[in-house]
Amino acid sequence: MADPHVPERALPDPVPARQNRLHLSLVWIVPIVALAVGAVLVVRALLQAGPEVTIELRSGDGLEAGRTEVRYKEVVIGRVRSVSIAPDRQTVLVTASLERSAKWIAVDDTRFWVVRPRIGYSGVSGLGTLVSGAYIGADAGASTQTRTHFVGLDQPPLVLRGEPGRNFVLRADDLGSLDVGSPVYHRRVRVGRVVGYGLSPDGRALDVQVFVESPYENIVTRDTRFWHASGVDLSVNASGVTLNTQSLLSVFAGAIAFATPDNGGPSPPAESGQAFRLFDQRRAALAPDSGEPVRVRMVFAHSLRGLEQGAPIELMGVEIGSVHSVTLQPGRSMQALPVEVLADLYPQRLGAARERFFAPGAPRDDRLLLKQLVEHGLRAQARTANLLTGAMYVALEFVPNPKRVAFDASAPVPTLPTVPGALADVQPQLADIVARLSRVRFDEIGTELQAALKALNRATLSLQGTLVSADTSIKQLTPEAQAAIADLRQALTQANHTLASAQATLRSAEANVTDARAPLQRNANQALAELQRAAQALRVLADYLQRHPESILRGKPDMPLPPPAEKQ
């Protein structure tokens, strides 16, 4: 209600105001800023995102989407986005996003594998994954061609690209106990490892790839020798027993060792990828260079039981080769099958003696050398190397007054002439001796000897009875006579022991008749003759004592002297 005492004033007319529809409230500032930040992050992520790669693995054990990392040299370069089963349900497909700075990893020859704890010949690896979990390791390739689909490795590669060191190839006949990861030793120090193996292109040998780590790669020269170090080298010689081996791990898990022989001069380091021969033993590896072998053929007409592949071939006691094979060959008749021996000879092992057969400046043809040796009487002979094991070897000796034989040096495999071995000559002689011994009538000899012994025993018993009766009649004799009788009794007792020993010897001889030899026969005949003479002497003594018992006391009377001749 208006106050009547206050004068009224004129009020201005109201002016309608327009509302600004573009005016924003402060509450919208936060979403706008968040949207801007998100857009910046998205753009930045798009700008920094690298390629996506798919890795095909046999198992997805330990892999988690969003957590498992992709590492190169232990640096994170990506992360796994998803893990799924392949359409064929045989493998696992792992999709990983790589950083833009690591886009060079997605090239054709890059390798991926899952890093897990592993125990191998080279040690324990991947222990850090026990805490952080498994991750995918990468080995960057050198190709320029990009690639997004890879097949992961089942095992981590033993040699990473760019790792300092050198690779070498070892040509071996047998893998033995070697495996990927087996150590390589030099002077019992581990300097490398085996990184792979496979058959040679021709399939006749085995190629073993080894990696010698830096800074030891320069130790391997062109003259270096490699050998298996996984066994125990036991040798017995004039110096005693020698045992040579590497570490205990190498004995069970396999290992390779190498050394460079001292040839008097330095040798340049071997290049990466150079091939070497892998020997079976250290002794063979460090032996002097034998040169190229010459394959020869030898034919023997007798049994070669004990001659095996690898048996030595010696010339004047020096080993110059080894047996390659021993086979039977068809002969002129089925009752005689010759034995063919193929061997590898190394004439270079003759040393200075080899140079005498060649004129100065003439080509070194070892086949011509063998031909000259054969013309001078060189012949091959099979001999026994060990009487306990029966092992044999082939000896090359110069035979006096040899028969002239032809040696075709131009043949693919020349034939060395042979002569029978010493054992082959002795065997017919032994057979003849055994045949002669089999014709000896040992049974009749034994029967006669037993009869003689029985007669001697009866004579001894008769003599003892006579002595007993004589002893009864002379009990009152002097002490000297009693002592003489006691000595006679002792002599008879010893004679009884001798007869018992002779009977035992006879029984032993009869039990071993099959092993008797000519000396035994002569000894038996001599023993029989001696026993017969002893029995005869005892019989004469017994008869005399029966007729003259007083001779025990008085002795045997002297023979009367002949009467003196009358003087003329």
Side-chain angles (χ1 to χ4, degrees):
M1 179 174 173
D3 189 0
H5 300 285
V6 178
E8 295 182 358
R9 291 182 179 180
L11 296 175
D13 296 334
V15 177
R18 282 187 173 184
Q19 185 177 3
N20 188 5
R21 296 185 178 182
L22 297 178
H23 180 70
L24 296 178
S25 176
L26 292 176
V27 297
W28 291 97
I29 295 177
V30 175
I32 293 174
V33 172
L35 182 61
V37 172
V40 171
L41 293 178
V42 170
V43 172
R44 183 178 179 181
L46 292 176
L47 294 177
Q48 293 182 352
E52 286 189 355
V53 295
T54 302
I55 305 171
E56 186 176 346
L57 300 172
R58 290 184 177 271
S59 174
D61 182 24
L63 303 181
E64 298 182 13
R67 287 192 57 185
T68 303
E69 301 171 343
V70 180
R71 300 182 185 181
Y72 174 72
K73 294 186 177 181
E74 299 303 324
V75 177
V76 178
I77 60 173
R79 195 173 296 273
V80 173
R81 287 187 54 201
S82 63
V83 180
S84 60
I85 302 297
D88 59 358
R89 295 178 294 179
Q90 300 297 322
T91 56
V92 174
L93 298 179
V94 179
T95 303
S97 296
L98 303 179
E99 297 180 358
R100 187 179 183 85
S101 60
K103 62 181 181 180
W104 42 266
I105 205 77
V107 293
D108 187 61
D109 54 349
T110 297
R111 297 177 292 180
F112 293 92
W113 66 93
V114 179
V115 178
R116 299 187 181 95
R118 287 184 173 88
I119 300 177
Y121 299 132
S122 57
V124 181
S125 62
L127 289 180
T129 58
L130 296 176
V131 179
S132 62
Y135 63 89
I136 297 178
D139 183 21
S143 176
T144 58
Q145 184 178 356
T146 59
R147 184 179 177 183
T148 58
H149 187 85
F150 299 89
V151 177
L153 303 177
D154 295 334
Q155 300 289 338
L158 293 177
V159 180
L160 300 177
R161 291 184 177 90
E163 183 178 356
R166 292 176 191 168
N167 290 285
F168 302 101
V169 179
L170 307 181
R171 181 65 56 88
D173 297 330
D174 194 334
L175 183 63
S177 57
L178 297 177
D179 200 353
V180 175
S182 296
V184 177
Y185 292 100
H186 177 69
R187 299 183 183 274
R188 304 184 187 274
V189 177
R190 186 181 181 278
V191 297
R193 57 192 181 273
V194 176
V195 297
Y197 57 84
L199 293 176
S200 59
D202 57 2
R204 297 183 178 180
L206 189 73
D207 290 339
V208 180
Q209 291 82 28
V210 298
F211 180 77
V212 179
E213 304 165 356
S214 181
Y216 307 109
E217 70 273 15
N218 291 328
I219 300 177
V220 182
T221 66
R222 297 178 181 177
D223 297 332
T224 297
R225 310 287 179 86
F226 291 82
W227 67 87
H228 282 281
S230 55
V232 177
D233 187 8
L234 179 64
S235 61
V236 181
N237 50 32
S239 301
V241 180
T242 303
L243 179 63
N244 187 16
T245 183
Q246 298 291 334
S247 64
L248 185 61
L249 176 63
S250 65
V251 174
F252 295 99
I256 295 175
F258 68 89
T260 302
D262 186 9
N263 296 327
S267 179
E271 299 179 357
S272 180
Q274 183 171 339
F276 297 89
R277 180 184 174 186
L278 182 60
F279 293 87
D280 293 334
Q281 295 180 351
R282 181 180 184 272
R283 186 183 311 170
L286 299 181
D289 189 11
S290 302
E292 293 295 329
V294 177
R295 180 67 57 84
V296 296
R297 174 177 176 266
M298 296 169 286
V299 180
F300 296 89
H302 55 84
S303 174
L304 295 181
R305 178 181 175 83
L307 187 65
E308 300 179 352
Q309 181 181 4
I313 298 179
E314 298 181 357
L315 175 60
M316 306 298 292
V318 177
E319 183 176 346
I320 64 168
S322 60
V323 174
H324 181 268
S325 63
V326 181
T327 57
L328 291 175
Q329 297 296 316
R332 297 180 180 178
S333 64
M334 295 304 296
Q335 296 180 353
L337 299 178
V339 182
E340 181 188 63
V341 178
L342 295 180
D344 292 328
L345 300 182
Y346 298 89
Q348 190 170 340
R349 294 183 181 179
L350 298 177
R354 174 172 173 261
E355 302 299 328
R356 293 185 54 191
F357 292 91
F358 297 107
R364 301 298 194 263
D365 190 350
D366 292 321
R367 292 172 177 265
L368 297 179
L369 169 62
L370 291 177
K371 183 177 181 180
Q372 295 185 31
L373 293 176
V374 170
E375 292 176 354
H376 285 78
L378 184 69
R379 299 293 185 269
Q381 186 182 65
R383 295 181 180 178
T384 301
N386 193 314
L387 296 176
L388 296 178
T389 62
M392 301 184 68
Y393 72 102
V394 178
L396 302 181
E397 299 288 346
F398 290 95
V399 179
N401 302 322
K403 296 182 180 179
R404 187 175 181 84
V405 295
F407 182 83
D408 188 5
S410 61
V413 182
T415 302
L416 279 178
T418 61
V419 293
L423 183 60
D425 295 337
V426 172
Q427 285 178 347
Q429 299 177 7
L430 291 177
D432 183 59
I433 293 174
V434 172
R436 292 184 180 182
L437 287 175
S438 63
R439 293 194 294 269
V440 177
R441 299 178 179 180
F442 288 100
D443 295 338
E444 296 180 2
I445 295 174
T447 302
E448 294 178 357
L449 183 59
Q450 286 181 353
L453 291 175
K454 290 179 180 178
L456 181 61
N457 192 17
R458 288 194 297 270
T460 304
L461 294 176
S462 177
L463 179 60
Q464 288 179 350
T466 303
L467 292 175
V468 169
S469 61
D471 184 45
T472 305
S473 61
I474 60 173
K475 288 183 178 179
Q476 304 299 325
L477 297 178
T478 62
E480 291 79 1
Q482 294 180 359
I485 294 174
D487 293 339
L488 181 58
R489 286 179 176 178
Q490 184 177 1
L492 291 176
T493 304
Q494 293 180 355
N496 288 332
H497 289 315
T498 303
L499 291 176
S501 300
Q503 291 178 349
T505 303
L506 178 61
R507 287 193 295 270
S508 176
E510 291 177 349
N512 298 279
V513 167
T514 56
D515 294 333
R517 294 294 185 268
L520 179 59
Q521 181 181 359
R522 291 194 298 269
N523 294 335
N525 293 334
Q526 293 176 0
L528 180 60
E530 294 293 338
L531 289 174
Q532 289 177 349
R533 286 193 293 269
Q536 185 178 1
L538 289 175
R539 188 179 301 110
V540 171
L541 177 61
D543 294 340
Y544 183 83
L545 290 176
Q546 286 180 355
R547 294 193 302 269
H548 305 283
E550 69 279 2
S551 62
I552 298 177
L553 301 177
R554 300 176 181 177
K556 188 176 180 181
D558 296 334
M559 296 296 295
L561 296 175
E566 297 182 358
K567 296 182 180 181
Q568 296 294 335

